[in-house]
Amino acid sequence: MTAGLAMRECRRCGHVVFPPRPLCPRCGAWDWKPRLAERGVVETITRSGENELASVRTDDGPTITALAPGRDLEAGARVRLEARVSAGRTGPGVQA
């Protein structure tokens, strides 16, 4: 696990995107700088069997879908974002 989640910020207008895109959806620029999103607020939780996914509005703007740590997370909770490796792939995760 890595603290924070890598995003991109447009150098022209400051719009933050996740996942990365070739062009800024706001201004059309293609000049990006890295941005590390560290925190957000849970908007919704989806539970299916033992799996739990959280829709998180990051403090940086984008809403992400992330793996949640267990059954104690609820909408409105402040969380830390992290990059998690699962089955050889990196994806977003949260910690309460």
Side-chain angles (χ1 to χ4, degrees):
M1 287 182 272
T2 304
L5 189 61
M7 297 191 174
R8 285 185 174 179
E9 179 180 352
C10 178
R11 290 184 192 272
R12 183 187 294 169
C13 72
H15 187 64
V16 179
V17 298
F18 182 86
R21 300 179 178 134
L23 296 175
C24 177
R26 181 182 288 164
C27 73
W30 53 270
D31 190 14
W32 300 100
K33 64 181 177 180
R35 173 89 172 238
L36 189 64
E38 296 180 348
R39 296 204 165 273
V41 176
V42 174
E43 291 186 332
T44 60
I45 299 289
T46 302
R47 294 181 175 103
S48 177
E50 294 182 21
N51 298 314
E52 185 173 270
L53 296 174
S55 177
V56 178
R57 168 74 59 186
T58 68
D59 291 349
D60 299 276
T63 299
I64 63 163
T65 301
L67 293 171
R71 294 245 181 246
D72 58 343
L73 202 57
E74 296 297 333
R78 293 267 316 147
V79 292
R80 278 191 337 257
L81 304 172
E82 58 189 28
R84 291 186 177 175
V85 177
S86 177
R89 296 174 65 183
T90 302
V94 296
Q95 284 294 324

